[in-house]
Amino acid sequence: MIDLSQHPNSARIMDILRERNALWRTDILSVDQFTPEVLDQVFRLSDAMRDIVEENGGMELLKNRVMAAVFYEPSPRTSASFTGAMGRLGGSWIPIRQGVRFSSVSKGESLGDTLRTLEQYADAIVLRHPEKGSVQTGAGATACPVINAGDGIGEHPTQCLLDLYTIYKEKGRLDGLTVTMVGDLLYGRTVHSLTRVLKDYDIRFRFVSPENLRLPMGQMQQLRDRGKDVREMSDVADAMEVTDVLYVTRVQRERFPDATQYEAVRDSYKITPEGLKAAKNDMAILHPLPRVNEIPETVDADPRAAYFRQARNGLYTRMALLAMVLCK
Ligand code: NCD
């Protein structure tokens, strides 16, 4: 990759990084860190990253920097976009997929040792782990920045960044929208993270799920305490006409205590071309992926289907995030 320090887009990136950077050398653990100022900076940086990727493939901003990519749960998209982001910025990564010891992780023992070892080799650690709260615990054991790439049914802050950026790119704003979340709202951490940020914006919420997969009560209460316009329903058709952003998720099979409970709800909702006839022409359909049966491929040609553009945005937002965490 050629050094593009003279290129106008690299100068643009360097200028944004020279602004006050609240994320430099910090752990990225929760969406609570994404203030409107941080989001504005990440979005501008993501735009610049998109331009530099489209024009030149990338730049050598993170040359000689190393990221440890520790994934204790399967993650084709998140791990690929993090390592892709690092590669396009000229850096490298250490992939780790084995070694979790569930019994002691909640006490921070073996995970802490793993991370303390990895920080001897890497400048940042990206960690996905099946246990809620584990990434926070692990981050406490290291001085090196740790980025939460999903902790069980807890949070998924970097997915949230790309979801917010996609809403912003598709709709031109984060305010004054009706956002309908469909699917497994109980176990879906992407829904939890997105709801948590959007509660601070002028958003009307519609939640569509089977009865036993509703949004956790604590989150619902937070929305009600803020006086949000919130409705829960079981049929997506009831929200279709008013929706600006349709955020669809799969049923999280791996989180169910037993398989029969999963089988009972796995096909309980589906977005079809027929159902979309009632929707606004400029509605955006998002999905964090992977999808199972909830959006058939026949929907993909619809210009409102934004989920692959959303996946692409994951590359730009993760390039932006890594740049902010690793560069000053
Ligand atoms: C999501 C996740 O892992 O939480 N996917 C992702 O990060 N791309 C959603 C899911 O697994 O359903």
Side-chain angles (χ1 to χ4, degrees):
M1 205 178 294
I2 47 171
D3 180 6
L4 295 161
S5 50
Q6 301 308 313
H7 194 276
N9 275 323
S10 336
R12 191 172 143 210
I13 287 167
M14 299 315 290
D15 281 349
I16 300 171
L17 289 171
R18 272 192 284 266
E19 295 170 14
R20 197 185 97 79
N21 175 358
L23 303 186
W24 184 62
R25 289 203 58 80
T26 55
D27 298 321
I28 308 296
L29 300 176
S30 164
V31 293
D32 296 342
Q33 293 164 268
F34 300 151
T35 61
E37 295 72 36
V38 167
L39 286 182
D40 173 66
Q41 201 172 359
V42 172
F43 288 4
R44 284 183 291 121
L45 209 42
S46 302
D47 284 347
M49 293 299 183
R50 180 201 56 211
D51 291 348
I52 209 154
V53 167
E54 284 176 1
E55 283 171 33
N56 309 292
M59 70 185 284
E60 301 213 314
L61 184 70
L62 299 182
K63 192 174 174 204
N64 299 332
R65 301 300 184 96
V66 178
M67 172 188 91
V70 189
F71 283 85
Y72 291 138
E73 262 189 348
S75 168
R77 271 147 294 267
T78 306
S79 66
S81 60
F82 261 113
T83 52
M86 200 65 190
R88 285 185 186 274
L89 290 173
S92 59
W93 59 91
I94 305 166
I96 308 273
R97 289 181 191 279
Q98 289 139 12
V100 72
R101 296 236 310 275
F102 295 96
S103 55
S104 57
V105 154
S106 55
K107 297 176 197 146
E109 289 172 345
S110 65
L111 183 63
D113 273 2
T114 304
L115 301 187
R116 268 190 292 268
T117 307
L118 284 170
E119 76 173 328
Q120 310 305 318
Y121 316 128
D123 303 299
I125 300 171
V126 173
L127 174 62
R128 170 169 288 196
H129 196 283
E131 231 177 89
K132 185 177 177 180
S134 55
V135 182
Q136 281 81 349
T137 310
T142 64
C144 159
V146 174
I147 301 177
N148 183 357
D151 62 317
I153 60 166
E155 281 211 50
H156 196 346
T158 65
Q159 177 70 38
C160 187
L161 264 192
L162 76 95
D163 292 344
L164 291 165
Y165 181 66
T166 303
I167 294 173
Y168 184 68
K169 297 312 281 183
E170 297 287 323
K171 304 303 303 171
R173 61 191 196 281
L174 294 182
D175 279 302
L177 299 170
T178 298
V179 175
T180 299
M181 311 238 191
V182 186
D184 187 343
L185 311 182
L186 177 65
Y187 297 122
R189 57 192 169 195
T190 67
V191 166
H192 302 166
S193 285
L194 190 56
T195 305
R196 219 155 135 160
V197 175
L198 288 180
K199 74 176 187 318
D200 295 329
Y201 291 81
D202 173 21
I203 298 286
R204 292 169 295 277
F205 292 94
R206 301 291 176 266
F207 294 108
V208 184
S209 70
E211 189 76 28
N212 57 342
L213 295 181
R214 288 190 167 180
L215 195 73
M217 263 158 58
Q219 278 216 307
M220 186 57 79
Q221 196 52 49
Q222 279 189 356
L223 296 175
R224 296 206 199 281
D225 289 347
R226 298 241 166 178
K228 291 290 171 199
D229 176 348
V230 182
R231 276 181 228 164
E232 291 182 289
M233 44 191 77
S234 55
D235 187 351
V236 70
D238 295 336
M240 203 55 105
E241 273 175 43
V242 298
T243 297
D244 298 300
V245 176
L246 188 67
Y247 190 91
V248 188
T249 61
R250 76 183 166 99
V251 178
Q252 305 271 304
R253 173 185 214 142
E254 67 278 24
R255 314 276 180 219
F256 277 73
D258 77 77
T260 48
Q261 278 182 30
Y262 167 74
E263 296 300 331
V265 288
R266 52 171 274 188
D267 291 322
S268 51
Y269 51 90
K270 191 171 266 187
I271 308 302
T272 60
E274 295 67 44
L276 287 169
K277 283 185 184 148
K280 294 183 185 181
N281 289 333
D282 61 350
M283 185 181 79
I285 309 168
L286 274 64
H287 192 308
L289 302 175
R291 65 176 154 183
V292 185
N293 296 316
E294 56 283 353
I295 306 183
E297 287 184 16
T298 47
V299 173
D300 296 358
D302 189 315
R304 294 171 290 190
Y307 28 90
F308 290 111
R309 295 194 287 279
Q310 181 185 0
R312 177 95 179 161
N313 288 337
L315 176 69
Y316 307 138
T317 49
R318 289 182 172 120
M319 287 172 79
L321 187 75
L322 287 169
M324 286 179 74
V325 170
L326 291 171
C327 295
K328 198 179 164 77

